[in-house]
Amino acid sequence: MSRARILYLAHRIPYPPDKGDKIRSWRTVEHLAERFDVDLAAFVDEPADFQHEDHLRRVCASVALVPLDRRAATLRSALGFLTGEPLTLPFYRDARMRRAVMTARAKGPVAEMAFSSSMAPYLDGAAAPSIIDLCDADSAKWAEYAKRKRWPMSGVYAREGRLLERVETAFINRAGAAFAITEEEADLLGSRDGVEKPVHWFANGVDANYFAPDAVAPQGARIDAVFVGAMDYWANVDAVRWFAAEVWPLVRQSIEDATFVVVGSKPDALVLALQGRQGITVTGRVEDVRPYLAAAKIVVAPMRIARGIQNKVLEAMAAGKAVVATPAALEGIDATIGAEAIAAASPDTFARACVRLIEDRASADAIGRAARSRILDDYQWAAQFKRLDAALEALIAGRAFT
């Protein structure tokens, strides 16, 4: 017996799940595929990721992958300055994606789902109920970037934040249901002028078995503190540079030979420049981050700009590690501060927390155990998807989801 179909749209190929957005989209696709035939349409911005098409086809009923040429997309996005629209929309406007959507619609999906504001325009014209997973409030992210960038980029980012806020509101109103990644992000999106319906949320989960403390052997070298994240993402670059400049020298005053390892793909020149300074190692891309987590005495998440949930924090907690993080990096994570994670805002308090936990292994281990318990209790994917399942059930049955 054939199953009902769902069309799922993503601005980036969901597999491999090696970035925050891809983790969420991949887990959503996997979950939907348990009950539906999923027709996936996604952009591919890294040519090497086409090698994963066969894996996607084993999970999805059909897969349409559209290459995204960033140079051409950037040129398209500049048209937004002439049309008065946010630059995000023309960046992802592509006739090939539109054709892929129409092909999938011809198969009669019972629902359509788009990941992020980037893909929401492709829901226009849907005959089936639609769901948009905005994940984070992208408009608020651009507004934060504007505060930390110099002119002229500060002006560009501020403009993007203003204009994208308007279209996010329109997307929410047109969709059958809209979701964010945290209750806080949902409240932010849903409280804006002009929003006519509630914004719902489901958090990210984490594979607690994959990130179990004893899942892999520790990496061989000594690691006192580790940061894990894609290092071509500006918020991660900003976090590592701030930590290296403002916090780490204070740690080294107390622990002269302390080591800090930055693990993540595509480190930019500013991050690579940290290599070899004050016990800092920059690895670049690694096949598996878990040996580095296993070896580290603590994990740091010194984010100054953060939206939604930081997967890097969830994964570190699942691995049983004590996490020292800025308050921004812990937003949206229901952890008991002081017992399950350490929050520190200023360089001095951040450094003191790092030193204490690097030197006091019993305290660090206790926080790590409590952190993993929190993950096991509250951050399993199946539990998080219950709200999405309820929305699908209602919309497919022709009922409003409120």
Side-chain angles (χ1 to χ4, degrees), residues 382-397:
Q384 294 301 330
F385 282 131
K386 288 181 179 178
R387 293 185 185 91
L388 175 61
D389 291 341
L392 282 168
E393 181 179 347
L395 294 174
I396 292 172

Side-chain angles (χ1 to χ4, degrees), residues 144-221:
E144 285 293 322
Y145 282 7
K147 296 175 183 177
R148 298 187 182 275
K149 289 289 188 176
R150 296 179 179 178
W151 183 262
M153 294 311 299
S154 61
V156 173
Y157 291 154
R159 175 190 183 276
E160 188 71 2
R162 289 192 305 271
L163 297 181
L164 200 54
E165 181 175 329
R166 298 175 192 170
V167 299
E168 284 171 345
T169 296
F171 294 153
I172 291 167
N173 290 339
R174 290 202 297 266
F179 283 89
I181 195 171
T182 66
E183 187 174 10
E184 292 82 1
E185 294 290 289
D187 288 344
L188 171 62
L189 290 161
S191 63
R192 289 173 172 170
D193 291 343
V195 175
E196 300 169 355
K197 59 180 67 173
V199 177
H200 307 277
W201 65 278
F202 64 91
N204 277 12
V206 63
D207 187 336
N209 291 326
Y210 184 81
F211 284 98
D214 58 354
V216 297
Q219 195 269 347

